[in-house]
Amino acid sequence: MKLYYHPASPNARRVIAVAEHLRIPLEMKLVDMFKGEQDQPEYLRLNPNGMVPLLEDGDFRLFESNAIMQYIAEKSGDTSLWPKELKARADITRWQFWAVAHLGPQTSKMVVENMFKPFRGGQPDAAVVKDAEESFHFFAAILNHHLEGRAWLTGVDVTLADFSVATHFSYAIPGKFPMQEYKHIRAWLDRMDQIDAWKKSAPRM
Ligand SMILES: N[C@@H](CCC(=O)N[C@@H](CS)C(=O)NCC(=O)O)C(=O)O
């Protein structure tokens, strides 16, 4: 299987970390987003969204990182991160959807404003940051409360849910996420940092 990725992409990171953790071999194809390769016609023919990651398995192409994680985990036959049981799967999928729909848009805005804009010589838009922080607090409080007394999001062990949600915190420091009051999230991210595959997949600019 071939994975189109960029090392700075948190969306690619969650797939890369899971593949590494489950020892699933992937042929890695760099899409240089800093050179705009994602918007070139050759790549748009593969993924019309112009985004990474993208998985190719023979003539089957799959975009959306969470779908890719489920696919490669299922195909590997290793059920440690993606158990077979219906409710366990629904629980994992719930957190994956929640992160994409609610948490991710807020963390992305803070990364764009506080990290990428200054990186390109611009200034953060204070109104956008304020709005993102307010929504972030709403969803971070839910996650923090859920993690109180739990080591992992959906069970006694790490699953795809943890990899999916944790990736949204990949740029928490340069993105200036207001994390102080969320000690259960911070402790959980520290536990993620103990996982070799997770550490190795940390984004690189
Ligand atoms: N929902 C998608 C999001 C993919 C995405 O936003 N990828 C970013 C990199 S982190 C991208 O390729 N951006 C390129 C662009 O927007 O031009 C997924 O989870 O795979």
Side-chain angles (χ1 to χ4, degrees):
M1 291 186 286
K2 207 182 275 180
L3 187 76
Y4 294 81
Y5 79 107
H6 188 278
S9 159
N11 290 298
R13 180 190 189 180
R14 62 177 68 93
V15 176
I16 294 167
V18 163
E20 171 84 20
H21 191 74
L22 297 179
R23 302 193 190 294
I24 299 169
L26 292 177
E27 185 188 336
M28 304 298 285
K29 300 287 281 184
L30 175 71
V31 178
D32 194 339
M33 296 196 305
F34 296 139
K35 291 189 182 148
E37 284 179 4
Q38 73 279 18
D39 296 321
Q40 294 306 308
E42 313 85 78
Y43 187 70
L44 291 174
R45 269 195 290 279
L46 307 178
N47 182 357
N49 299 290
M51 289 179 186
V52 294
L54 171 73
L55 185 83
E56 252 180 13
D57 186 10
D59 59 6
F60 178 60
R61 291 198 190 99
L62 191 60
F63 53 76
E64 286 303 321
S65 54
N66 290 296
I68 298 171
M69 292 161 83
Q70 293 186 2
Y71 180 84
I72 62 172
E74 181 75 25
K75 191 168 173 176
S76 77
D78 183 326
T79 56
S80 57
L81 297 182
W82 182 230
K84 289 259 179 231
E85 203 261 318
L86 180 63
K87 286 182 181 153
R89 285 200 169 182
D91 198 8
I92 292 167
T93 308
R94 168 244 297 272
W95 282 108
Q96 291 181 313
F97 283 17
W98 177 85
V100 171
H102 303 305
L103 181 71
Q106 315 317 325
T107 55
S108 292
K109 277 184 226 160
M110 289 187 282
V111 170
V112 168
E113 296 300 324
N114 293 330
M115 188 178 114
F116 279 114
K117 277 194 182 172
F119 180 71
R120 295 185 188 120
Q123 287 292 320
D125 181 328
V128 175
V129 172
K130 183 172 175 284
D131 184 61
E133 284 184 356
E134 274 172 21
S135 298
F136 174 82
H137 280 303
F138 181 82
F139 294 113
I142 292 168
L143 181 62
N144 192 61
H145 178 70
H146 181 77
L147 284 166
E148 188 174 353
R150 284 188 174 89
W152 305 108
L153 271 177
T154 65
V156 292
D157 286 314
V158 66
T159 68
L160 293 189
D162 300 283
F163 283 94
S164 289
V165 180
T167 355
H168 292 281
F169 292 92
S170 293
Y171 288 124
I173 293 170
K176 301 186 180 164
F177 299 1
M179 298 286 290
Q180 293 78 359
E181 61 203 88
Y182 303 119
K183 68 173 182 184
H184 303 301
I185 298 181
R186 287 190 277 110
W188 164 70
L189 291 171
D190 286 345
R191 282 190 287 282
M192 287 300 293
D193 276 336
Q194 304 303 310
I195 299 173
D196 274 356
W198 177 251
K199 279 202 85 133
K200 276 173 75 177
S201 67
R204 282 168 287 123
M205 298 286 283

